[in-house]
Amino acid sequence: MEELISYLLQFGNLNQEQIAMIQSKAKLKTIPKGAYFSQAGKIADKIGYITEGVFRVCYYDKAGEGYTRYFVYENRFVADINSFRDEVPSAEYIEAVTDCKLLVFSKEGFEDLSNTITGWSDIFLKITSYVMENKMKASSNMLVQDAHTRYLHFLEYYPGLANRVPLSMLASYLGITASSLSRIRKK
């Protein structure tokens, strides 16, 4: 819980009463490897703060082939924020790549915090902006880089993550085949 509060305090101020309210709304949840935190076609009804583990945000084509858009890991929030905020069906899946532990806020609990804590919405606007800016930097580099450079960039941007996710998911994220990634890793 301390990590969550420290993370939130990077984006705004909270007093002890507000912190206690946040702690009362967060519920510890475990999601096993391979299970979904949210699914395409369903409205996201929760937002989680990852304390342990790795998720991937992905989608599947008509043939059932999965494509990894990005990874989310410890000390970050995970949610389909558009589905959660606007109550529209999600277009993607959030899948546990490893066994995961999260502090989860229900839609109702999150709205209670928004209605009670002055600045809660501003904190999440700042978090969302920060996350989007980092995603844009990562994805814009991938458009102009060759596969080897994309892999090196991944290692730099996500230190230690390459050893925690399956080769096929990493290859999908990088936009290359698993065999190509194996060759790149050997170099």
Side-chain angles (χ1 to χ4, degrees), residues 4 9 18 35 38 58 60 75 78 88 97 140 145 162 171 177-178 183:
L4 168 62
L9 289 172
Q18 293 168 328
S38 75
C58 62
Y60 295 91
N75 301 314
V78 64
V88 296
V97 176
S140 66
Q145 296 171 337
T177 65
R183 283 191 299 276

Side-chain angles (χ1 to χ4, degrees), residues 14-67:
L14 298 165
N15 64 37
Q16 289 303 314
E17 185 179 322
Q18 293 168 328
I19 290 170
M21 184 175 190
I22 293 166
Q23 291 171 331
S24 75
K25 298 292 182 184
K27 305 296 180 221
L28 185 61
K29 183 172 176 89
T30 301
I31 298 185
K33 176 181 177 179
Y36 295 108
F37 180 69
S38 75
Q39 297 182 46
K42 297 183 179 179
I43 295 173
D45 61 354
K46 59 191 172 294
I47 185 169
Y49 181 80
I50 305 168
T51 60
E52 187 178 308
V54 180
F55 286 91
R56 76 173 180 143
V57 176
C58 62
Y59 63 93
Y60 295 91
D61 65 15
K62 290 180 181 179
E65 183 75 26
Y67 295 90

Side-chain angles (χ1 to χ4, degrees), residues 65-92:
E65 183 75 26
Y67 295 90
T68 302
R69 291 194 49 230
Y70 55 92
F71 297 99
V72 187
Y73 51 97
E74 291 89 0
N75 301 314
R76 285 156 178 75
F77 280 96
V78 64
D80 181 329
I81 199 69
N82 293 330
S83 176
F84 182 77
R85 182 189 60 225
D86 301 334
E87 297 183 357
V88 296
S90 181
E92 54 201 11

Side-chain angles (χ1 to χ4, degrees), residues 16-187:
Q16 289 303 314
E17 185 179 322
Q18 293 168 328
I19 290 170
M21 184 175 190
I22 293 166
Q23 291 171 331
S24 75
K25 298 292 182 184
K27 305 296 180 221
L28 185 61
K29 183 172 176 89
T30 301
I31 298 185
K33 176 181 177 179
Y36 295 108
F37 180 69
S38 75
Q39 297 182 46
K42 297 183 179 179
I43 295 173
D45 61 354
K46 59 191 172 294
I47 185 169
Y49 181 80
I50 305 168
T51 60
E52 187 178 308
V54 180
F55 286 91
R56 76 173 180 143
V57 176
C58 62
Y59 63 93
Y60 295 91
D61 65 15
K62 290 180 181 179
E65 183 75 26
Y67 295 90
T68 302
R69 291 194 49 230
Y70 55 92
F71 297 99
V72 187
Y73 51 97
E74 291 89 0
N75 301 314
R76 285 156 178 75
F77 280 96
V78 64
D80 181 329
I81 199 69
N82 293 330
S83 176
F84 182 77
R85 182 189 60 225
D86 301 334
E87 297 183 357
V88 296
S90 181
E92 54 201 11
Y93 293 85
I94 300 175
E95 179 185 4
V97 176
T98 65
D99 290 336
C100 296
K101 292 182 182 174
L102 307 95
L103 295 169
V104 176
F105 296 91
S106 67
K107 177 79 171 174
E108 180 182 310
F110 194 86
E111 287 176 351
D112 286 349
L113 293 172
S114 294
N115 295 330
T116 307
I117 296 176
T118 304
W120 182 254
S121 296
D122 289 337
I123 288 171
F124 267 84
L125 181 61
K126 289 176 186 175
I127 290 170
T128 303
S129 295
Y130 173 76
V131 169
M132 291 304 292
E133 184 178 316
N134 286 330
K135 282 183 196 171
M136 294 286 284
K137 286 178 188 174
S139 64
S140 66
N141 286 335
M142 292 200 29
L143 294 173
V144 296
Q145 296 171 337
D146 63 32
H148 186 260
T149 306
R150 286 195 304 266
Y151 177 65
L152 293 176
H153 180 74
F154 180 86
L155 294 177
E156 180 183 328
Y157 193 73
Y158 299 106
L161 198 56
N163 297 327
R164 298 175 65 194
V165 301
L167 187 72
S168 61
M169 290 180 188
L170 179 53
S172 171
Y173 171 77
L174 295 172
I176 59 177
T177 65
S179 58
S180 294
L181 180 55
S182 287
R183 283 191 299 276
I184 290 168
R185 289 176 90 168
K186 285 180 184 175
K187 292 180 185 179

